[in-house]
Amino acid sequence: TSAGTVSPTLGITTTSPAPVTSGIITVSATISAPAGVNLRSAPATGENVLRLLEGAAAVSIIGRSADGQWLQVQADDGTR
């Protein structure tokens, strides 16, 4: 996967992942949203907010919802 924008609406940019050696790909991303982004417990706006990811927050993208509309991320403090 080449570097690019995952979601231009939120301004999330990613870097290319390292070569796969274990069957797991980790993609690092930086969220750039002036008001921040809510990290939720599940992929729905009605779910609990675990924490606010503030502007320029670094996260690891560890999954994506089946419909492709949500990313599963891990914050720098380990929150998923």
Side-chain angles (χ1 to χ4, degrees):
T1 304
S2 61
T5 299
V6 174
S7 173
T9 305
L10 297 177
I12 300 172
T13 56
T14 63
T15 56
S16 297
V20 177
T21 57
S22 67
I24 298 172
I25 298 173
T26 300
V27 177
S28 297
T30 301
I31 296 172
S32 178
V37 175
N38 289 325
L39 181 62
R40 296 187 179 273
S41 59
T45 56
E47 295 295 331
N48 292 331
V49 175
L50 301 174
R51 74 176 265 208
L52 176 67
L53 297 173
E54 297 189 27
V59 296
S60 294
I61 299 171
I62 57 175
R64 177 174 261 173
S65 63
D67 64 6
Q69 298 297 306
W70 293 80
L71 295 175
Q72 181 181 14
V73 301
Q74 180 171 327
D76 57 354
D77 68 355
T79 305
R80 296 179 168 203

